[in-house]
Amino acid sequence: MIEYIIQTVAAVIGTAGFCLIFRVKVKRLPVILISAAACYLIYIAAFNMGASVFAASLLSSLVISLASELFAIWFKAPVTVFFISSILPLIPGAHLYYTMDAIFRNDIETALYRASLTLQTIGGIVLGLAIISAIFHCIRIASKKK
């Protein structure tokens, strides 16, 4: 349990650093950091309950995409400001690193396994974003027709 708390705190610190480097407005920072923590905790909880890497990434991405759309409306800002910053803890950097490491060590079996995990994570993130974005796009179109 303590390792998940430490990992979540590290994810929030990393997200804060990203936000500061890219000059995210300070008034948006609290909701982004809470979203980043939620993103990672949802992923870990889903994964620990037996979900695949893809399913855990998808669930986390769906929740964060929905929150990002709502925050964008609330703060009158682009969705990408909230989504990209909040989804950072899920970016599969370690999987990509170990994929490349296995390739350089000529361990093809490990490289394929790690590449599979990388693609599953990316696929879950992209699909979650696409689903929520499509729903909000349809809502926007329907509200303009009225």
Side-chain angles (χ1 to χ4, degrees), residues 19-102:
C19 290
L20 293 174
I21 289 170
F22 288 97
R23 298 183 180 154
V24 173
K25 291 184 180 178
V26 175
K27 69 179 181 180
R28 299 175 185 158
L29 203 53
V31 295
I32 290 172
L33 297 180
I34 291 168
S35 295
C39 176
Y40 191 72
L41 290 172
I42 291 166
Y43 175 82
I44 290 296
F47 191 73
N48 285 339
M49 287 191 284
S52 67
V53 171
F54 175 78
S57 297
L58 176 63
L59 178 62
S60 187
S61 181
L62 284 168
V63 172
I64 296 308
S65 295
L66 177 60
S68 297
E69 290 280 355
L70 297 174
F71 291 146
I73 294 167
W74 185 22
F75 284 99
K76 294 178 177 57
V79 175
T80 54
V81 170
F82 300 100
F83 181 76
I84 291 175
S85 301
S86 299
I87 206 75
L88 279 175
L90 288 191
I91 302 300
H95 290 311
L96 186 58
Y97 171 82
Y98 290 120
T99 299
M100 298 308 294
D101 181 57

